[in-house]
Amino acid sequence: MVRVPPPGVYVPSPTFFKPIQGATQPEVDVATQSEHSVFLAKNGVHGLVLLGSTGEAIHLTRAERKGLLSGVRKSLDDAGFPDYPIMAGVLVNGIDEALEWLQDSKDAGCQWGLVLAPGYFGGAASQQGLIEWYTIVADKSPIPILIYNYPGVTNGITVTPETYEKLAQHPNIVGCKMSHGNVSYHVQVSTSPKIDHEKFRVYSGFGQQLGPIVVFNAAGVIDGLASFFPKTVVRLFELSSKRPIDDAAIKEARDLQYRVSRAEDYIGRWGILGIREGIYRVVGLGTVEGGRAPLRGRIPEGAWEEWADVMKAMSEP
């Protein structure tokens, strides 16, 4: 039977790099990557997305990707988290190359592939074309896949609810991640009577949508804020998914959603560099030198301090 990812909070981990020491590009830091992954597992996060957009997979070689995935899997197993859920990003447009990434992900111990919609040609790619592309990939993939729709990096391509309804019928397509602000699409796909929601999970890429979409049957979020405030985001998910939900839980969920939504504005403003900064300052891992060009550097001096009140409200024991 095809395995479906569990509901919950997943973290789209940034890829950690060693400090730059005269090299053209910094080396991948698998040890710190693994330490952060174990930290998240210990703090209630339900799963990881490695080598997605936040993970800069497009900046890594094939050997680096395989080494990172297998290194994190081994570290989680050694730390007492065997079979911990890992989705591996697949960020290419060619079908054969996507299948190569998926095979490598399986070999490294990942259970699912999070496959970005092929957006090189932008609007020239029709919904029917997307259905054909994903169907071929799913037919041949060695692991189940999820549809990853991030219009911001795919020339504005948006997968429609009708396309999700058709692709959800494929036995090897087990969910989707929507990284856009169209809450209506989230709700339509999460509640569609044409989809078996025990077999097809809907995740948002935005924690500010967590409470509203989980109330309407979404499976959870794949959220960067949880990379340094995992307990708060997980608690919000637990409250939002509680059935039946009592007045006390609703009150706490409203308070947490407000705090999370405010902090998510920081992620929206500073993106991957902001996530790195947050992990460095809150968790004490990584560096603030950024990743590989063109994402080197850090957020401007004083920018973190501008969010002091917001981050204080998110503080965790």
Side-chain angles (χ1 to χ4, degrees), residues 2 88 90 95-96 98-106 110-115 133-146 170-174:
V2 174
V90 177
I95 287 174
D96 290 340
L99 292 169
E100 181 181 88
W101 282 45
L102 288 162
Q103 184 63 56
D104 288 346
S105 300
K106 179 186 179 183
C110 304
Q111 299 98 323
W112 304 278
L114 184 65
V115 183
W133 191 91
Y134 273 109
T135 298
I136 296 171
V137 171
D139 282 346
K140 297 183 178 182
S141 176
I143 53 176
I145 68 170
L146 293 88
H170 195 291
N172 210 30
I173 299 179
V174 295

Side-chain angles (χ1 to χ4, degrees), residues 276-300:
R276 291 185 190 285
E277 185 94 20
I279 294 172
Y280 179 79
R281 288 180 176 265
V282 178
V283 184
L285 292 174
T287 72
V288 289
E289 296 178 356
R292 290 184 169 172
L295 294 180
R296 284 186 183 173
R298 61 182 300 182
I299 64 176

